[in-house]
Amino acid sequence: MCPPTVAKATPHRTDFSLVFPPGPGWVRAAREAVRTALAAAHREELADTALLLTSEIVTNAVNACIGSGCSTPVRVNAEWGPGGGLLVLVRDDAPGGPHQRPHPADAERGRGLPLLRACAADWGVCRHGPGPGKAVWFRLVG
């Protein structure tokens, strides 16, 4: 399900966005964009969690695109909600959705969805547009 502001907005209101080709080098740029937005809003207390979750869902979007051969840009949108909460939404055009895979305790992959469940106030996956793409989002409150 899309977050209420995304579902109602036409076009989607964002306080900042970043659009980039699906390449691993862009994960850091997305994380730094969120860090800059948090600093500008004087919400550094959200930084550790926001940066971790942004890294996870942008990495998943990039990997999904690379794995499926999609070359359309990945989009990161963020907006401030009531009370200073932060909504981050990452869109890609890769088919399929994220799913939890079993992983051993020492695995380097497979922790994204458990981290979203554990750290975000709210999160979800929604479809966008007529194609196979999806958006993964999370909300943090302060």
Side-chain angles (χ1 to χ4, degrees):
M1 170 188 342
C2 284
T5 57
V6 173
K8 292 179 185 174
T10 310
H12 181 245
R13 177 187 77 81
T14 59
D15 291 312
F16 81 87
S17 62
L18 180 64
V19 180
F20 51 89
W26 288 95
V27 175
R28 181 176 183 201
R31 190 174 52 244
E32 292 306 315
V34 170
R35 181 191 312 274
T36 300
L38 289 166
H42 305 290
R43 297 304 312 265
E44 290 89 351
E45 75 277 9
L46 298 176
D48 289 342
T49 303
L51 300 179
L52 173 66
L53 297 181
T54 298
S55 290
E56 289 293 329
I57 63 176
V58 171
T59 298
N60 288 349
V62 166
N63 288 342
C65 281
I66 291 171
S68 69
C70 84
S71 60
T72 55
V74 173
R75 300 177 183 280
V76 177
N77 296 314
E79 66 182 57
W80 296 105
L86 176 67
L87 171 70
V88 175
L89 183 136
V90 178
R91 298 172 190 248
D92 68 68
D93 282 339
H99 55 280
Q100 180 65 48
R101 295 180 186 107
H103 62 277
D106 61 347
E108 292 182 13
R109 301 179 72 162
R111 300 191 194 292
L113 294 180
L115 283 170
L116 280 170
R117 280 196 275 288
C119 299
D122 197 12
W123 73 279
V125 179
C126 56
R127 297 283 168 212
H128 69 88
K134 76 260 179 207
V136 178
W137 59 271
F138 67 86
R139 185 183 321 273
L140 300 177
V141 294

